[in-house]
Amino acid sequence: MQIPTVEELAAQLQAVSGADEVHPDASIQNIADVDSLDLMEWLYNFQNEYPGIPADESLFKDIDETTTMRTVHARLEALASETTAV
Amino acid sequence: MSGFKITGWGAAVPEQVVTSAELATRFGVDEDWVVSRCGIRERRVVEPGQTTASLAVTAGERALAVAGLTGADVAHLIVATATPEQPSPATSAFVHHGLGIAGSAHDVNAECSGFVYSMVSAAALMRIDPRPILVIGSDTHSLTVDPADRDLGILVGDGAAALVLEPTDRDWLQAWNLGADGSCTDSLKVLAGGSRMPTTGATVAAGLHFAKINGNEIYLNAVRFSVRSVRATLEQAKVQPEQVAHIVPHQANIRIVNSMLSHTGLDPQRLVSNLDRYGNTASASIPLALSEALDAGRIRDGELVLLAGFGAGMTWGSVLLEWGGTTR
């Protein structure tokens, strides 16, 4: 199943949050103007766009300093491949 | 078969104001963080002696006065609350006595969707017994929050508001949608005090009588379910989002409200909101905002008014009214 590139995911979060910049490798927790509700809004949009990928709030359950949009992208790829395998 | 019209409305909020600046100091955050997080600048909080029922009685008195009725004219009283006067009897019994209601009384607990659930229940009741119904939403969630809980502490406020419904051939109710998903009971909960976990010294010591929220889950589910409900209601009425003149959502968090508006295509300019002044007053939030809009003369005959709520459970519901009614 095709999912957006990591750059597209970062751009989507930037649009939702209104942050000046969301770099794919920036620690999400340290991006000014991005908080957990922005992540949920981004996730809601993603769920609508990709209903076949079982992404939910657990995507950010263990978020820490090391979590970036590249991390999120990798998790989504794993979810997509699990879904395809089934 | 009779429809309903709204002939009276009224609200009651405590006088004590707690500002977001005060809470910011208490929780060690910036006021801007609080306001940007939820859109709430201040909220009203009960003082000793003020209760869910006392607020409901005041709101009910005001609504009955607007309608030109007394408690003796009311055939049915419905009180929506999730913060009852005491575990037993129902809060509506206390309100029934306080207002001198002649007819029946019962509570509805659908959390923050409670008022919408009550409106739909009242509409059904009106069809089999076309006599005046008083519907009140009243909550005092400030009393259920752990004083150290920042996530919930910044959100909740106390208040009550009421509507008087009377029978009419020109039904104001155009469409409705109610729903629930009981798999989401962990999102917002009070664990102790019921049959599953009766109150003991240990539960109190552990703070299990306080409400606990999973903010992310609530956000996601609130948006998902309220969007679904609003779409279903508009579709049922064959109404386009741009035809809705006034949107009165549950005043939970301005970001949830904005998200719901954006995903349903409803016009943000038509939002009726007092969230910045009262916070999340749960069952009271929709009628409180509606009462203020009516007092301000904002709503006119022929206009479509959408009420939309969501709450713990999860529960959700929406109602589309045509002010002044229709024969269609």
Side-chain angles (χ1 to χ4, degrees):
Chain A
M1 185 175 294
Q2 197 68 24
I3 63 167
T5 65
V6 65
E7 289 78 13
E8 286 169 330
L9 293 186
Q12 289 165 3
L13 181 59
Q14 188 173 322
V16 160
S17 65
D20 289 341
E21 186 188 18
V22 174
H23 192 278
D25 294 309
S27 165
I28 293 170
Q29 283 191 330
N30 294 333
I31 302 171
D33 298 324
V34 173
D35 65 16
S36 66
L37 299 189
D38 293 316
L39 296 176
M40 291 304 107
E41 183 65 19
W42 171 84
L43 177 59
Y44 178 76
N45 289 331
F46 183 89
Q47 289 172 329
N48 284 331
E49 197 76 27
Y50 298 90
I53 300 174
D56 62 18
E57 58 274 20
S58 65
L59 209 55
F60 299 104
K61 201 172 179 180
D62 55 353
I63 188 169
D64 62 18
E65 293 285 316
T66 66
T67 311
T68 66
M69 284 312 280
R70 197 172 299 281
T71 317
V72 173
H73 186 259
R75 288 174 186 174
L76 290 171
E77 279 189 319
L79 285 170
S81 61
E82 280 171 27
T83 309
T84 308
V86 172
Chain B
M1 297 289 266
S2 179
F4 74 73
K5 58 184 174 182
I6 294 168
T7 59
W9 56 88
V13 292
E15 286 183 12
Q16 182 179 208
V17 176
V18 176
T19 66
S20 290
E22 291 171 61
L23 291 181
T25 303
R26 184 193 304 174
F27 294 126
V29 294
D30 290 337
E31 182 186 0
D32 284 350
W33 181 87
V34 175
V35 176
S36 67
R37 181 88 184 158
C38 57
I40 301 165
R41 294 191 179 279
E42 59 184 45
R43 68 285 291 143
R44 303 300 184 93
V45 171
V46 287
E47 294 176 84
Q50 288 182 308
T51 68
T52 297
S54 73
L55 291 172
V57 167
T58 304
E61 283 170 345
R62 290 172 180 165
L64 288 169
V66 170
L69 301 178
T70 69
D73 300 310
V74 175
H76 303 286
L77 166 69
I78 303 175
V79 177
T81 186
T83 51
E85 192 76 353
Q86 55 193 49
S88 181
T91 302
S92 52
F94 296 93
V95 180
H96 183 277
H97 180 65
L99 291 172
I101 300 288
S104 72
H106 72 277
D107 283 17
V108 166
N109 180 357
E111 289 286 347
C112 300
S113 308
F115 196 84
V116 175
Y117 267 68
S118 299
M119 288 277 289
V120 175
S121 302
L125 203 47
M126 188 67 81
R127 276 159 176 69
I128 58 169
D129 183 13
R131 294 185 292 156
I133 302 174
L134 178 61
V135 185
I136 306 177
S138 183
D139 268 311
T140 51
H141 271 289
S142 71
L143 301 172
T144 70
V145 174
D146 182 340
D149 184 343
R150 186 186 69 184
D151 289 352
L152 264 175
I154 63 171
L155 294 176
V156 300
D158 302 329
L163 296 181
V164 176
L165 310 187
E166 291 193 66
T168 177
D169 292 335
R170 295 181 62 82
D171 197 0
W172 290 28
L173 182 66
Q174 299 305 298
W176 59 274
N177 171 271
L178 298 178
D181 182 346
S183 70
C184 304
T185 51
D186 272 343
S187 301
L188 178 56
K189 61 195 175 191
V190 178
L191 280 170
S195 62
R196 199 178 201 186
M197 191 185 290
T199 306
T200 63
T203 64
V204 173
L208 299 179
H209 56 296
F210 288 129
K212 297 278 185 285
I213 189 171
N214 179 328
N216 285 354
E217 254 180 56
I218 284 284
Y219 180 95
L220 207 56
N221 287 329
V223 172
R224 178 184 298 129
F225 295 135
S226 58
V227 165
R228 193 181 298 171
S229 183
V230 165
R231 285 177 179 161
T233 296
L234 296 184
E235 195 174 317
Q236 187 188 120
K238 297 183 173 58
V239 161
Q240 296 303 310
E242 59 271 19
Q243 292 175 265
V244 177
H246 304 281
I247 303 132
V248 192
H250 168 45
Q251 319 274 312
N253 179 321
I254 197 63
R255 293 168 67 178
I256 293 174
V257 170
N258 287 340
S259 179
M260 184 268 283
L261 294 174
S262 121
H263 291 292
T264 52
L266 291 161
D267 184 350
Q269 297 298 317
R270 299 175 184 184
L271 173 67
V272 177
S273 178
N274 54 16
L275 178 70
D276 58 328
R277 288 176 291 117
Y278 298 119
N280 180 345
T281 56
S283 303
S285 84
I286 289 174
L288 185 54
L290 185 62
S291 291
E292 285 198 335
L294 288 164
D295 284 339
R298 277 180 66 178
I299 300 174
R300 295 179 175 83
D301 279 3
E303 290 184 323
L304 292 175
V305 181
L306 179 71
L307 316 181
F310 55 85
M314 296 280 294
T315 59
W316 60 88
S318 48
V319 160
L320 186 70
L321 305 171
E322 182 173 327
W323 216 260
T326 179
T327 51
R328 69 177 160 168

